[in-house]
Amino acid sequence: MTSRRPLIAGNWKMYKTCSEAEDTAREIVKNLPDMPDVEIMIAPPATALAPVFSIIRDTPVELGGQNMFWEAQGAYTGEVSGPMLVSAGCSYVIIGHSERRQYFGETDDSVNRKINAAKAAGLTPIICVGETETERDAEKTFSVLDKQMENGLESLSADSFKGVVIAYEPVWAIGTGRTATAQQAQEVHARLRKFLDKRFGGDIASQTRIVYGGSVKPENIAELMALEDIDGALVGGASLKPDTFSKIINYKR
Ligand code: PGA
């Protein structure tokens, strides 16, 4: 058995005004068990980070950014940096989400720069990888993931990788209601762990949390969490409603 503490993270994407985000955070906190079995993180939109932090700061719920730029400051209109996320209360940042790759030109190279910048700022990066439906159908899943991992983690030392979380998010499962089957998810997670083993060695591979994302809901969380190489979930749609997210956090109860 491993000692990896599971992480359940809620990615609110571009949903919720400040007051809506505060209400949701309040509800999540209200429904928290005394001793959560999992680490819990929520990633509201950038505008709601600081207000949400004021609600969760003395609770076990942690805060994450949904994206960041790799420079610490500068003339980069519209961007948010790692130190800025930290100053708003974040301990995590999601990097390379498929929606950023698809709509905002995120590449493995920018993912790589952002990982280094996040670590330098003291943030824990959650690196998203995943294949599209076309790539899966063409049996390219492993080669696509290998490339995203190789290029995204290029020239990172084992020491600087330590603590990074990997999120396997098959693009065809995001927001579609279609979850990867337990077998499909476990197969990919095991492969990702093998990659980490070759790249960084056995200790890092066995310590690294690899979470699953893509239509996670109260009905499928327990089955996913029972798999050997699944160490948590990155939850989109089902994290927007506090009662649904609480059910996911409390999947063991
Ligand atoms: P979903 O999104 O749970 O709505 O499928 C997951 C994600 O995009 O992280």
Side-chain angles (χ1 to χ4, degrees):
M1 282 310 281
T2 62
S3 58
R4 298 185 294 268
R5 182 146 199 252
L7 170 69
I8 304 284
N11 171 13
W12 293 358
K13 307 194 180 187
M14 201 177 74
Y15 291 101
K16 298 186 189 294
T17 60
C18 287
S19 62
E20 289 165 352
E22 287 168 321
D23 289 347
T24 307
R26 259 184 228 108
E27 282 299 308
I28 291 172
V29 166
K30 210 161 74 185
N31 296 329
L32 276 184
D34 288 339
M35 301 263 284
D37 311 302
V38 294
E39 201 176 327
I40 303 158
M41 183 276 265
I42 50 180
T47 44
L49 286 171
V52 164
F53 186 60
S54 66
I55 291 162
I56 62 170
R57 69 184 317 150
D58 296 321
T59 77
V61 181
E62 295 186 73
L63 193 69
Q66 297 178 13
N67 177 40
M68 60 175 276
F69 189 51
W70 58 76
E71 295 291 349
Q73 60 176 14
Y76 303 105
T77 303
E79 291 296 315
V80 171
S81 74
M84 290 169 185
L85 291 180
V86 171
S87 76
C90 291
S91 45
Y92 281 90
V93 60
I94 300 168
I95 293 177
H97 189 280
S98 65
E99 285 150 16
R100 303 254 10 129
R101 294 178 190 255
Q102 191 179 348
Y103 305 124
F104 302 101
E106 187 90 80
T107 62
D108 293 333
D109 177 58
S110 57
V111 166
N112 184 261
R113 289 167 186 243
K114 290 179 182 188
I115 297 171
N116 284 304
K119 293 287 288 193
L123 291 161
T124 297
I126 301 178
I127 310 305
C128 303
V129 295
E131 81 288 0
T132 62
E133 185 164 35
T134 317
E135 288 161 346
R136 176 163 281 270
D137 289 347
E139 295 182 5
K140 287 189 183 151
T141 299
F142 287 164
S143 62
V144 166
L145 291 168
D146 283 352
K147 189 174 149 287
Q148 289 174 346
M149 294 288 282
E150 253 159 47
N151 298 341
L153 305 180
E154 197 185 314
S155 61
L156 243 79
S157 66
D159 223 33
S160 50
F161 177 79
K162 217 170 178 177
V164 170
V165 176
I166 303 291
Y168 169 54
E169 298 209 305
V171 178
W172 48 270
I174 295 179
T176 59
R178 274 177 72 195
T179 322
T181 64
Q183 192 201 345
Q184 282 170 330
Q186 169 55 29
E187 189 185 26
V188 170
H189 281 234
R191 167 88 177 198
L192 291 169
R193 204 175 300 287
K194 206 180 266 176
F195 176 96
L196 295 175
D197 184 39
K198 267 200 267 170
R199 181 69 172 72
F200 298 116
D203 282 353
I204 297 271
S206 62
Q207 287 161 17
T208 301
R209 289 178 296 180
I210 306 178
V211 304
Y212 170 82
S215 298
V216 172
K217 42 197 172 222
E219 295 75 30
N220 58 24
I221 181 73
E223 187 190 5
L224 290 162
M225 294 299 286
L227 299 166
E228 191 184 340
D229 287 296
I230 296 193
D231 309 311
L234 183 52
V235 188
S239 73
L240 295 171
K241 287 210 189 101
D243 60 328
T244 318
F245 190 58
S246 298
K247 278 187 193 145
I248 294 175
I249 293 169
N250 289 308
Y251 72 96
K252 275 193 188 162
R253 289 159 199 259

